[in-house]
Amino acid sequence: MRILLTGGSGRLGRSVAATLAARGHDVTSADLAPADTGPGVRSHTLDLLDESAREDLFAQVRPEAVVHLAGIAVPFARPDTEILDINTRLAWGVLAAAVRHGARSAVAASSPTVFGYGTAAWRPRYLPLDEKHPTAPRHSYGLSKVIIEETARTLARAEDAGCTLTCVRPGYVIAPEEWAGAPTQQGHTVAERLRDPELSAAALFNYVDARDAAELFALLAERPDLAATGGAYHAVAEDALALAPLAELLPRYHPGAAGPASALTGRRSAFSSALAAERLGWRAQRTWRTELVETVSEGG
Ligand SMILES: NC(=O)c1ccc[n+]([C@@H]2O[C@H](COP(=O)([O-])OP(=O)(O)OC[C@H]3O[C@@H](n4cnc5c(N)ncnc54)[C@H](O)[C@@H]3O)[C@@H](O)[C@H]2O)c1
């Protein structure tokens, strides 16, 4: 398939580009930053908020599928209104262009932060969180992701062009080099994140290997027939990024979640990706226990 990937120069985008190329697709990456995407991937450097440059790109590539990752990827990384403005305008611009230009599928990156965790007062209705749990963002980044999901649903309702629009909520993305000690999105290493639970508590101890998440983006792009249009899918590792069960750890950092957290015994994650498993046969293949190069003992 001809696939247009936005944000292909980023932490997740590099793995998505490599995965799509390895699966035999004709991949074009579009990003503000030049891409070092490896063999089989064409790279365009442009601002996707520039409407005429974006239109030219779509007319040139004529994508059969679009994977949209470009955006501000970190809460509080920019002023609130900028995050909201950039992420939502990018999503509408790219997804609407995908429909208009005849793509059969378009998959956008959302985020588990749509659930609004991160304060002591946060009270989930149940754990692990699945796609049926209500969203309730608490910052502009999380709100931008709720709007991106609604954008996909709105376009799916409004257009009758045969394009299946879906979203993926990847866990805290760990790129291949980060298993070997490179800094993660927050600046610390994976081993530090494991040793100091406070670092991982902010993301409810979730994570996913970038290559595993990339497989779900690829499956949704390739098999729109298996996905419900407008749907969102979790892409999270089955175990938690933690040295102790979340039934013990979560109540320390999220006292409001103490009741539902009692279900998270053993290695269980606070998120379920069962929907992606049922619909698309996707499961995260990699866990920190097999990928992390440095030894971190589970005794503490
Ligand atoms: N990293 C994570 O843990 C994580 C978790 C959940 C969701 N996500 C989402 O996945 C996506 C990718 O995340 P990432 O970690 O790879 O982020 P990243 O910051 O590494 O990559 C984002 C890319 O988007 C590009 N971009 C931003 N604005 C652009 C514009 N106007 N035009 C063209 N390109 C533009 C940037 O240059 C960058 O290369 C984001 O949408 C993010 O919100 C990431």
Side-chain angles (χ1 to χ4, degrees), residues 41-295:
V41 181
R42 265 182 301 279
S43 165
H44 286 253
T45 306
L46 76 156
D47 183 349
L48 286 157
L49 289 173
D50 176 337
E51 206 174 320
S52 78
R54 192 174 65 226
E55 276 301 306
D56 288 350
L57 176 76
F58 272 85
Q60 193 184 327
V61 176
R62 294 181 299 114
E64 294 162 281
V66 172
V67 176
H68 174 55
L69 309 181
I72 308 304
V74 185
F76 311 114
R78 301 265 194 101
D80 290 336
T81 50
E82 267 183 46
I83 294 178
L84 198 56
D85 177 51
I86 292 171
N87 285 357
T88 56
R89 274 203 296 140
L90 274 172
W92 185 279
V94 169
L95 297 179
V99 173
R100 236 184 7 262
H101 286 265
R104 284 190 287 121
S105 59
V107 195
S110 178
S111 161
T113 58
V114 294
F115 293 117
Y117 45 80
T119 62
W122 182 68
R123 284 179 199 282
R125 290 201 187 159
Y126 56 84
L127 291 169
L129 295 162
D130 61 15
E131 293 83 349
K132 291 198 182 97
H133 192 286
T135 58
R138 69 168 186 102
H139 49 51
S140 80
Y141 173 80
L143 175 60
S144 79
K145 294 302 186 181
V146 169
I147 295 173
I148 289 169
E149 293 187 4
E150 284 301 332
T151 299
R153 284 185 204 113
T154 301
L155 289 167
R157 260 181 239 123
E159 305 285 343
D160 191 17
C163 183
T164 297
L165 295 123
T166 52
C167 290
V168 175
R169 297 174 183 164
Y172 187 76
V173 171
I174 301 186
E177 65 276 11
E178 293 166 14
W179 294 120
T184 64
Q185 188 193 60
Q186 306 297 317
H188 50 254
T189 66
V190 179
E192 285 164 348
R193 203 168 169 86
L194 273 165
R195 289 201 185 95
D196 180 357
E198 199 169 342
L199 296 176
S200 198
L204 295 186
F205 303 91
N206 81 55
Y207 76 105
V208 68
D209 180 284
R211 295 159 294 184
D212 281 342
E215 293 285 338
L216 183 56
F217 280 96
L219 282 168
L220 286 164
E222 289 164 357
R223 297 297 310 269
D225 54 311
L226 298 180
T229 195
Y233 295 86
H234 290 175
V236 178
E238 286 179 13
D239 57 346
L241 192 68
L243 300 177
L246 297 199
E248 275 174 51
L249 288 176
L250 267 185
R252 258 190 246 163
Y253 301 96
H254 301 275
S262 62
L264 303 178
T265 52
R267 297 175 172 181
R268 289 188 79 191
S269 162
F271 292 83
S272 162
S273 301
L275 187 61
E278 279 159 29
R279 286 283 183 125
L280 296 128
W282 179 89
R283 292 174 82 110
Q285 301 296 320
R286 299 164 179 90
T287 108
W288 68 264
R289 293 178 168 86
T290 54
E291 300 302 314
L292 187 62
V293 171
E294 187 178 336
T295 304

